[in-house]
Amino acid sequence: MSHPLQRDPEDALAPDTVADSGEVIRCDACPVLCRIREGQAGACDRYANENGKLVRVDPLVVLQRGAPAVPFFEPGKPWDGTLVSGANTFITGIGATTTYPDYKPAPFIVSSKLEGVDMVTVVTEGIFSYCGLKLKIDTDRYLGPEQSPVRVEGEQIGHVTTAEYGSQMLSLGGVRHLTGGTKKEGTVTCDALLRLANRQPVEMKIEDGSTVVVQAGEPPIVNGEREERMRVGCGSATIGIFAKQWHGHADEVIVVDDHITGVLTEHQAGRFLDMRPAGVRVRGRKSTPGRYFKVAEPGLGWGGTDIVDPLSIIEMIDPKRAWQGMRLLMVSTTGEDAEWFVLDGDLKPVKQPMPDAIRKVVERIAENCEPALCTVLFMGGAGGSLRAGVTENPVRLTRSVKDLMTRVTCGGAPTYVWPGGGITVMVDVLRMPERSFGYVPTPALVLPIEFTMPLEAYAAMGGHVDRVVSLQQALREAQFKAHAWRRENPWPVCT
Ligand code: SF4
């Protein structure tokens, strides 16, 4: 089966291969410039030739506070206009179309009123070659070495980046993978980004590491195993949280963790409780008392290490300090792995049934773990020519965004705009409507984006004020679909 993004634009009749005729129209919504036969769609499946007219295949998505009064509207059908009240309806960029090249005004420049202030929202579907995804994968399981290539269908689409607290991080896409390698690398990268951004699962292979299936809002599946819990904290933090609850029930607790393994009686928390040093020395590099780095190699065993037998991290037991009958708990940072030992006459740890008081605390570790999820953030640069669809003087839009005068949303979802130059936005795909993203085979992703600001500010930045229309005017000719506003998102039209 051919790759969905390997469909050549020429399948849709590339420029100069077919003469213009009444039946063939040219789409100029992206640089591919497909010529599309009647009844067929262009290379990205977003535009089609419907009876000789170029149409956007998907309806425009509008969001409404409260339940949508009319969920779907087709032009030509009776409509009494009650759907749209400017205060409660927001036009998103989803299905809005793109105006390429961007010196043309954006497809929708819509006015509204807020508490007596005239507002404007500029709406478009931006085409992003400079874009990628940041993936946060809640797991301690070893995915692969930092900087290791992440591959789909054998093509590198990104790399492993710096791990965060309880999560492994991947950086995917970017202009180098989209445009700088082979055609296949670009199309596979674009397809993987598109599926992830649209909340679909993607299986990735990490070089010298694991296979992981990632889907936004779902637990990761690492080497076929569905992750359940995110660790409660590092080994040292786990000691800090539960030391008091272990006190009196165990003589030593070792919390096994790939990054910082904790040893209770040496740790500040154990000292604070006046616990007797137990003389168990673990492998690895001592950072501070009771905190050890690199007790083992990373892996799929206890606490994100390669450990299967927890006793393997014990370097020695000091006979001057340890004693017969000493009670030792070894536990992982999620409570998934735990074993209870009592030292015999030779000071050897012997596995014993775990007492209820200890089991209760181990279960509490698990209870305090949050569900493991995958988070997918889109990141892209909106500081390029897209701005010309908003204003004749693009740097003023950038300044207005930086001055918080202009609010940037993607499909109505709030964005984080990076400090410094440009308009580099980040958005959580789960806060956007489903299937918000599209692609073009250049290859690049298509992202809905909206800029909202007071009309006065829009005029001052050199905006296309002659193209401002009311919401009713904008929707009169559009085929649109109304979705309920997501309550967790702030309403974007605000002063
Ligand atoms: S790829 Fe899509 S947007 Fe680009 S020209 Fe073809 S139909 Fe139009």
Side-chain angles (χ1 to χ4, degrees):
M1 200 175 86
S2 76
H3 192 284
L5 296 196
Q6 280 166 0
R7 186 175 162 202
D8 202 290
E10 285 172 20
D11 293 349
L13 302 182
D16 306 325
T17 57
V18 173
D20 276 324
S21 81
E23 293 168 355
V24 176
I25 50 176
R26 193 179 73 170
C27 174
D28 60 358
C30 93
V32 175
L33 298 175
C34 297
R35 289 177 186 269
I36 310 172
R37 281 202 183 97
E38 195 168 311
Q40 292 191 349
C44 66
D45 285 332
R46 295 186 312 125
Y47 289 87
N49 178 343
E50 200 176 278
N51 301 322
K53 201 174 155 209
L54 185 70
V55 294
R56 180 73 174 81
V57 170
D58 311 291
L60 175 71
V61 171
V62 304
L63 298 172
Q64 288 203 288
R65 289 197 276 195
V70 179
F72 195 83
F73 178 75
E74 289 176 62
K77 295 223 170 137
W79 171 48
D80 64 6
T82 51
L83 169 65
V84 286
S85 105
N88 292 324
T89 304
F90 183 78
I91 296 188
T92 74
I94 304 165
T97 72
T98 307
T99 42
Y100 178 85
D102 293 303
Y103 58 77
K104 295 181 206 157
F108 292 98
I109 305 178
V110 185
S111 65
S112 59
K113 223 174 184 71
L114 181 85
E115 293 162 5
V117 178
D118 288 313
M119 302 291 292
V120 173
T121 302
V122 182
V123 178
T124 191
E125 287 182 299
I127 297 173
F128 289 77
S129 304
Y130 288 87
C131 73
L133 301 176
K134 307 297 173 208
L135 268 47
K136 173 173 165 286
I137 302 168
D138 301 338
T139 183
D140 281 338
R141 287 181 218 281
Y142 183 60
L143 295 187
E146 212 168 287
Q147 302 178 9
S148 201
V150 176
R151 297 187 192 281
V152 170
E153 294 176 33
E155 299 294 328
Q156 185 176 357
I157 67 161
H159 63 273
V160 178
T161 186
T162 323
E164 297 298 342
Y165 201 82
S167 308
Q168 311 290 326
M169 305 291 291
L170 306 184
S171 181
L172 305 184
V175 72
R176 190 172 70 82
H177 292 300
L178 282 169
T179 69
T182 61
K183 185 174 177 184
K184 190 178 174 208
E185 181 179 334
T187 51
V188 170
T189 300
C190 187
D191 179 54
L193 297 182
L194 180 68
R195 284 188 285 147
L196 284 164
N198 280 336
R199 308 185 195 183
Q200 293 169 321
V202 171
E203 181 173 296
M204 290 168 264
K205 174 80 188 100
I206 295 165
E207 202 170 289
D208 300 323
S210 304
T211 297
V212 59
V213 178
V214 173
Q215 182 172 13
E218 296 293 325
I221 299 169
V222 183
N223 287 347
E225 270 191 53
R226 194 177 165 91
E227 186 64 284
E228 298 289 340
R229 307 174 198 162
M230 183 179 182
R231 70 178 185 177
V232 71
C234 68
S236 171
T238 310
I239 293 272
I241 296 169
F242 296 101
K244 214 167 149 216
Q245 298 177 45
W246 282 314
H247 189 37
H249 301 293
D251 299 310
E252 184 61 285
V253 178
I254 298 172
V255 182
V256 182
D257 177 33
D258 177 34
H259 303 128
I260 307 172
T261 289
V263 180
L264 176 59
T265 62
E266 273 186 49
H267 193 277
Q268 191 61 22
R271 291 185 179 186
F272 182 74
L273 293 167
D274 280 333
M275 289 188 76
R276 176 180 165 184
V280 180
R281 189 182 305 159
V282 298
R283 298 186 195 284
R285 180 160 67 82
K286 187 170 177 173
S287 160
T288 54
R291 299 169 72 254
Y292 290 81
F293 298 162
K294 227 169 164 19
V295 296
E297 291 302 314
L300 302 177
W302 283 48
T305 67
D306 61 351
I307 289 167
V308 181
D309 171 15
L311 296 179
S312 65
I313 66 161
I314 295 179
E315 195 167 73
M316 59 95 73
I317 295 180
D318 183 354
K320 291 195 198 113
R321 298 196 158 187
W323 63 96
Q324 183 179 357
M326 196 183 95
R327 301 161 299 170
L328 167 67
L329 171 69
M330 301 198 74
V331 63
S332 69
T333 45
T334 55
E336 267 168 300
D337 297 297
E339 284 183 10
W340 178 252
F341 301 94
V342 177
L343 265 54
D344 66 9
D346 297 327
L347 302 183
K348 283 215 173 80
V350 179
K351 198 170 160 185
Q352 300 276 337
M354 192 176 289
D356 286 347
I358 291 292
R359 182 166 302 287
K360 215 168 120 190
V361 186
V362 169
E363 285 169 1
R364 189 160 291 167
I365 295 177
E367 184 189 332
N368 275 271
C369 294
E370 293 174 73
L373 293 176
C374 298
T375 307
V376 176
L377 293 192
F378 171 89
M379 184 165 166
S385 63
L386 180 150
R387 295 174 299 169
V390 182
T391 164
E392 288 171 353
N393 202 347
V395 73
R396 292 203 181 166
L397 173 65
T398 309
R399 288 186 196 137
S400 179
V401 169
K402 293 289 153 64
D403 293 343
L404 305 180
M405 180 62 75
T406 295
R407 180 173 287 227
V408 187
T409 50
C410 292
T415 60
Y416 175 76
V417 180
W418 279 69
I423 304 176
T424 303
V425 295
M426 267 196 331
V427 59
D428 177 357
V429 303
L430 286 178
R431 298 184 78 166
M432 302 171 70
E434 278 181 41
R435 304 186 77 83
S436 288
F437 290 80
Y439 82 97
V440 290
T442 52
L445 282 196
V446 177
L447 169 79
I449 189 161
E450 308 93 27
F451 300 92
T452 301
M453 68 211 89
L455 176 61
E456 203 180 337
Y458 189 51
M461 73 168 65
H464 306 293
V465 282
D466 55 322
R467 303 298 281 260
V468 176
V469 296
S470 71
L471 198 65
Q472 282 81 1
Q473 279 174 291
L475 295 181
R476 196 160 290 148
E477 293 306 317
Q479 178 179 306
F480 63 86
K481 202 161 61 168
H483 287 243
W485 183 257
R486 299 172 72 94
R487 281 209 212 128
E488 73 269 24
N489 288 344
W491 188 249
V493 187
C494 60
T495 49

